Amino acid sequence: MENTIEKIYRLENPEENIIKLVTGTQLRYGDVIKEVFGVASVNDLHMMIQYNKNFQTSICNSYGISEKKITLDKIIRIASKADILFLKQQLINEKKSNPQKDEQNNPGEEDHHINRPFDTIIQLQEGIYQWDDNNFSYNAITIGA
């Protein structure tokens, strides 16, 4: 059986100022749609885009587009390397803002150490990436020969 490489998705609710990166598995089987958008399923998002004026306006303002240009891929898309780097910076900032908690969990660790947020190997818009324990980041790799 072949292992599948987990895709990472970026969910954005501009009305609530929420951006969340999740795995494809979390997107399919978790409550992440409800956490970010307040609705039960992706099908409900289509209804929000169509009928919720505040939600429409927030998407238009966030992306500088007209209502006719709103599509689901504006708020749910495969994450990019830039999204992962932004997440890494958020995790580092959280660690710096709460050093006591981190010292309890990882005594003696350096400031830039973060725990791996997803699987060892992930797929982003730009390709396949593998976690590097030395740099605490994902690096592009080539699969196959």
Side-chain angles (χ1 to χ4, degrees):
M1 181 172 154
E2 185 179 320
N3 288 339
T4 59
I5 296 173
E6 191 81 75
K7 285 183 186 172
I8 306 302
Y9 290 87
R10 181 185 188 270
L11 284 62
E12 179 182 8
N13 181 341
E15 184 179 24
E16 300 295 328
N17 199 26
I18 297 171
I19 295 175
K20 187 168 184 132
L21 299 183
V22 299
T23 65
T25 302
Q26 290 171 312
L27 189 59
R28 282 186 301 278
Y29 302 113
D31 286 338
V32 70
I33 295 290
K34 187 169 186 160
E35 288 173 32
V36 175
F37 300 104
V39 296
S41 72
V42 172
N43 292 334
D44 295 333
L45 282 177
H46 290 289
M47 299 297 282
M48 279 183 72
I49 289 171
Q50 190 172 3
Y51 297 110
N52 184 322
K53 188 65 175 164
N54 290 337
F55 190 60
Q56 288 175 356
T57 301
S58 69
I59 294 170
C60 291
N61 291 341
S62 181
Y63 289 94
I65 60 174
S66 68
E67 287 179 21
K68 293 179 182 179
K69 301 271 186 184
I70 296 175
T71 57
L72 192 59
D73 67 343
K74 294 289 184 207
I75 57 174
I76 299 178
R77 65 170 169 77
I78 296 176
S80 67
K81 179 67 174 176
D83 295 324
I84 293 293
L85 292 173
F86 182 77
L87 174 65
K88 178 181 179 179
Q89 193 57 52
Q90 280 183 316
L91 294 172
I92 289 170
N93 291 344
E94 284 175 18
K95 184 175 180 173
K96 287 179 180 177
S97 68
N98 196 355
Q100 296 86 1
K101 180 181 175 200
D102 189 62
E103 189 64 25
Q104 292 169 354
N105 294 334
N106 298 305
E109 293 289 350
E110 298 177 34
D111 281 344
H112 66 278
H113 174 272
I114 58 170
N115 293 326
R116 178 173 44 89
F118 302 110
D119 290 348
T120 303
I121 298 176
I122 59 172
Q123 182 176 346
L124 302 174
Q125 284 180 13
E126 298 86 351
I128 307 298
Y129 288 77
Q130 184 170 14
W131 181 255
D132 179 353
D133 282 327
N134 295 322
N135 296 318
F136 310 108
S137 64
Y138 286 97
N139 297 323
I141 61 169
T142 304
I143 301 284

